[in-house]
Amino acid sequence: MPLHNADIAETFRKVADLLEIEGANEFRVRAYRNAAGTLAGLPQDVSTLIADGQDLSELPAIGDDLAGKIAELVDTGALQALDEIETRVPPGLSEMIRLPGLGPKKVKALYDALGVDSIEALREVAESNKIRGVPGFGEKTEENIRDALDRLEGKEQRLRLLDAEHVATPLMEYIRAIAGVKRATIAGSFRRRKETVGDLDILVTAKRGSDVTKGFIGYGEVDEVVSQGSSRSTIILQSGFSVDLRVVPEVSYGAAMLYFTGSKAHNIALRKRAIRKGWKLNEYGLFDGDDRIAGEREKEVYDKLGLPFIAPMLRENRGEIAAAAKGALPDLVTLESMNGDLHCHTKASDGKFTIREMAEAAKGKGYDYLGITDHSRSQTVAGGLSDDELAAQIDEIDALNEEVDGIRILKSSEVDILEDGSLDFPDDLLARLDYTVCSIHGAFNLTREKQTDRVVRAMDNPQFTILGHPTGRLINERPAYAIDLEKVMQAAKERGCFLELNAHPSRLDIDDTRCKMARDMGIKVAISTDAHSVNGLEMMRFGVEQAGRGWLEAGDVLNTRPLDVLLDLMKRQGR
Ligand code: DGT
Ligand code: CA
Ligand code: CA
Ligand code: ZN
């Protein structure tokens, strides 16, 4: 069974969970978690890297041991280390630990006291009120567990966009090679570049008489064929991810693309517009009576409806149709317009490369500047720099800028916003930096009011430039902390601060709707990769796409600016 990065990351998380429940050394637990994080952020599928002969131990947070384990998983589909732990700790405990409110200690206590070894078993004891009798648990905890279980039930598993790409790339290669296939494109949320994807919707056109369906259901990763027909089939892959395939006539290709790209809300709004003109719009075309007046290309359909082409990223019925009708669609920011990256880590903290290596890579991407933002002193687990180390790094960068041509290395730091809203380095040291990225890395559980206050207080410090990953969410892993972003944005605007759109596919923080909010409020957004390796710089495209979903133009983005303009924009009074 072919494994993608998401599967391997999931296996590592499971090992970490079980080790933690067992009470293993915390560094070992963290090693697996960090490796899972690295895999989650790799632009290429790890099986491809191995096939290309790449040394996996060069990746951040992956040493020889874990590189070997990844190879073992890719080769054999299994991991001996996991099998061994599972002889000691029931595998179901790993799912339990993911339930909000249930940490490793509580899970262990429930297992020891009641033998609860799975989500199902947990549901049973929760419903028969047995949990409240276990020492350390009460009625309130029991109720919270029941609520968490209810929420779990309604939850569908969606893949992060990057993981969906890892599934889609080899599949599309396979489909394009099926005899008779002419055109093949992915529509749906994948084409709209949504942060997570529920299933893949693939459209193909084919030569008359070719059996595309037979080829499609013969794909090596298929677990189940849900339905098959000459024009429509659905399969479920071994990873549990499902794929819809539709074979459409050439004359309907554009209309089908439009329909299956969605969103549903956008489709409905377009169809209403067609009806107002006395026409009918469906997946086969735009019809005036029985006459197909458009259908082969998307653009024709929009054209007939009196609209310019609307980029798939904007098709969410958030005002794009009205804007299009007025000729007021945003001219979306592009990867080519990005002039630099303002958030990355080096060997000095938890990155894998030197400042020079990161800078050379950024230069290779055509950037004019790269900001170095290693962690600050409180982040001991992430190799945070001490005051002296930051001072030394500042000198090092000054010296490097003398040597390295063609790119300016900016002096910065990812400074922790401490619980009381103060910044994690003294002001006089921060004043020596070109700018700062200030982030929350702990005390996630404050009330919404306190969390908001904390950030606003931090912004009061003139050394504050950009708010890093503003909500702290990790897609599919950790919800955002409670915070009033509108208030935060207002404060940022008043003080001349900026918000980050962290481009990492696990973060995409701030998200598309918040980007639009920032644009509407006139606050510039920094799209930054938070790269921990040279590879990590590749994630910029995900940030740019989400920015596009949030209607951002190049002018709304801080780091599209040339260096001198950027430095000028980031200058705050009192700095
Ligand atoms: P997903 O898969 O949950 O990430 O999101 P989508 O947008 O890919 O949704 P999906 O796969 O259910 O359907 C693909 C597209 O098909 C959807 O974006 C719009 C279109 N579509 C599906 N159901 C309907 C419907 O009932 N009415 C209309 N107008 N369009 C629909
Ligand atoms: Ca879909
Ligand atoms: Ca679908
Ligand atoms: Zn961070």
Side-chain angles (χ1 to χ4, degrees):
M1 157 173 174
L3 286 183
H4 297 292
N5 294 359
D7 308 311
I8 301 169
E10 179 58 27
T11 305
F12 279 6
R13 272 189 217 110
K14 195 163 182 185
V15 173
D17 290 346
L18 296 178
L19 283 173
E20 196 172 15
I21 293 166
E22 202 179 30
N25 176 307
E26 64 173 304
F27 288 98
R28 245 181 102 205
V29 174
R30 200 176 307 122
Y32 278 103
R33 291 244 156 86
N34 289 345
T38 293
L39 288 165
L42 277 188
Q44 310 87 348
D45 225 351
V46 80
S47 52
T48 318
L49 292 179
I50 291 176
D52 291 350
Q54 254 227 30
D55 181 2
L56 298 183
S57 66
E58 280 170 12
L59 299 170
I62 311 263
D64 290 338
D65 176 52
L66 287 173
K69 293 204 161 65
I70 294 170
E72 182 189 342
L73 269 162
V74 169
D75 283 349
T76 69
L79 186 65
Q80 218 185 329
L82 177 61
D83 296 345
E84 271 167 31
I85 305 165
E86 287 183 345
T87 63
R88 303 188 301 263
V89 189
L93 298 194
S94 158
E95 281 167 54
M96 288 167 59
I97 203 180
R98 312 273 172 88
L99 215 61
L102 270 192
K105 291 211 179 67
K106 284 212 165 75
V107 166
K108 178 121 197 328
L110 288 173
Y111 175 61
D112 289 344
L114 302 170
V116 176
D117 61 358
S118 66
I119 291 281
E120 292 71 42
L122 181 65
R123 189 168 279 128
E124 261 182 55
V125 295
E127 266 150 28
S128 54
N129 300 339
K130 288 194 185 119
I131 292 179
R132 62 182 69 168
V134 179
F137 292 77
E139 269 183 53
K140 183 74 197 144
T141 327
E142 190 175 84
E143 201 181 309
N144 289 344
I145 291 173
R146 263 199 300 268
D147 288 350
L149 284 167
D150 287 346
R151 279 197 302 277
L152 191 70
E153 232 164 47
K155 213 158 96 187
E156 40 165 355
Q157 193 47 41
R158 304 176 59 85
L159 283 187
R160 299 177 314 148
L161 190 50
L162 174 63
D163 294 323
E165 282 189 358
H166 290 152
V167 172
T169 307
L171 175 60
M172 289 308 283
E173 206 172 292
Y174 175 86
I175 288 174
R176 289 199 176 99
I178 295 173
V181 166
K182 290 201 273 188
R183 292 202 268 184
T185 323
I186 309 176
S189 52
F190 185 91
R191 183 164 178 244
R192 300 198 312 279
R193 309 311 284 161
K194 219 174 133 157
E195 62 189 32
T196 61
V197 177
D199 73 351
L200 288 180
D201 305 280
I202 299 171
L203 294 183
V204 305
T205 60
K207 285 205 195 82
R208 204 177 267 281
S210 43
D211 196 346
V212 179
T213 306
K214 183 160 166 254
F216 177 59
I217 64 177
Y219 186 52
E221 291 186 33
V222 171
D223 181 47
E224 191 192 332
V225 177
V226 179
S227 67
Q228 51 174 312
S230 59
S231 65
R232 182 179 173 167
S233 319
T234 299
I235 55 172
I236 298 179
L237 302 177
Q238 282 148 350
S239 56
F241 198 54
S242 78
V243 185
D244 285 340
L245 179 88
R246 284 174 184 87
V247 186
V248 303
E250 206 70 46
V251 285
S252 297
Y253 192 67
M257 278 291 279
L258 196 58
Y259 184 88
F260 292 110
T261 296
S263 64
K264 193 172 161 179
H266 180 84
N267 287 351
I268 291 170
L270 276 188
R271 196 185 310 141
K272 276 191 190 144
R273 202 175 162 86
I275 289 169
R276 275 204 302 275
K277 291 184 187 282
W279 298 332
K280 193 175 85 190
L281 176 63
N282 59 29
E283 61 264 50
Y284 301 105
L286 180 64
F287 295 89
D288 182 356
D290 287 338
D291 282 349
R292 189 194 323 259
I293 54 174
E296 191 163 357
R297 290 169 51 219
E298 274 186 330
K299 194 178 171 318
E300 289 170 7
V301 178
Y302 280 117
D303 200 41
K304 281 278 187 314
L305 292 174
L307 299 170
F309 180 82
I310 301 178
M313 290 179 294
L314 293 175
R315 301 183 193 169
E316 298 289 346
N317 199 28
R318 294 181 189 148
E320 72 278 9
I321 295 175
K326 278 193 297 194
L329 280 176
D331 183 8
L332 301 183
V333 58
T334 60
L335 195 53
E336 293 68 43
S337 60
M338 299 308 299
N339 243 330
D341 199 329
L342 296 172
H343 186 163
C344 81
H345 299 263
T346 74
K347 271 186 170 165
S349 63
D350 55 351
K352 198 87 175 189
F353 291 82
T354 62
I355 300 171
R356 187 194 288 266
E357 287 165 336
M358 292 300 285
E360 290 293 347
K363 186 166 110 183
K365 304 186 74 57
Y367 291 159
D368 291 344
Y369 45 85
L370 174 72
I372 302 296
T373 53
D374 279 307
H375 286 288
S376 60
R377 58 190 184 188
S378 292
Q379 280 296 310
T380 45
V381 294
L385 275 58
S386 65
D387 295 17
D388 288 347
E389 284 165 340
L390 180 59
Q393 190 181 63
I394 291 170
D395 295 337
E396 185 188 351
I397 293 176
D398 282 339
L400 268 173
N401 273 325
E402 297 290 319
E403 285 175 41
V404 179
D405 282 332
I407 188 155
R408 167 80 170 270
I409 307 166
L410 296 175
K411 296 166 281 188
S412 187
S413 169
E414 182 174 15
V415 189
D416 263 49
I417 299 173
L418 303 179
E419 192 170 342
D420 63 359
S422 60
L423 299 181
D424 197 23
F425 281 123
D427 289 346
D428 56 344
L429 185 53
L430 291 175
R432 294 184 57 201
L433 300 171
D434 291 309
Y435 71 99
T436 61
V437 174
C438 303
S439 311
I440 285 181
H441 288 124
F444 297 130
N445 288 331
L446 302 185
T447 62
R448 181 173 153 104
E449 202 173 19
K450 284 212 175 103
Q451 199 67 280
T452 308
D453 268 8
R454 172 190 189 182
V455 172
V456 173
R457 242 176 302 141
M459 284 181 178
D460 285 338
N461 186 327
Q463 306 305 332
F464 189 117
T465 320
I466 299 168
L467 176 61
H469 42 75
T471 78
R473 65 126 173 216
L474 291 174
I475 297 174
N476 285 352
E477 278 177 61
R478 186 174 79 199
Y481 36 76
I483 190 163
D484 183 344
L485 267 196
E486 199 169 347
K487 213 168 191 173
V488 167
M489 285 191 200
Q490 193 55 45
K493 188 181 162 82
E494 285 159 12
R495 290 161 184 74
C497 303
F498 306 93
L499 266 68
E500 176 178 273
L501 189 187
N502 192 297
H504 194 286
S506 288
R507 291 194 181 271
L508 296 174
D509 182 11
I510 51 178
D511 67 8
D512 49 4
T513 55
R514 264 67 175 267
C515 281
K516 190 144 186 277
M517 195 198 262
R519 172 180 150 98
D520 292 343
M521 290 174 71
I523 298 155
K524 287 186 184 35
V525 174
I527 309 179
S528 306
T529 60
D530 201 351
H532 284 66
S533 68
V534 161
N535 254 338
L537 295 169
E538 299 299 325
M539 296 302 166
M540 186 60 88
R541 65 189 177 90
F542 289 96
V544 169
E545 288 166 347
Q546 295 309 307
R549 286 179 55 82
W551 294 51
L552 298 197
E553 303 190 332
D556 301 316
V557 177
L558 186 62
N559 44 327
T560 54
R561 297 299 196 287
L563 179 65
D564 52 337
V565 180
L566 174 87
L567 292 174
D568 216 44
L569 278 170
M570 294 196 299
K571 208 168 272 164
R572 280 185 67 180
Q573 266 179 7
R575 233 193 144 235

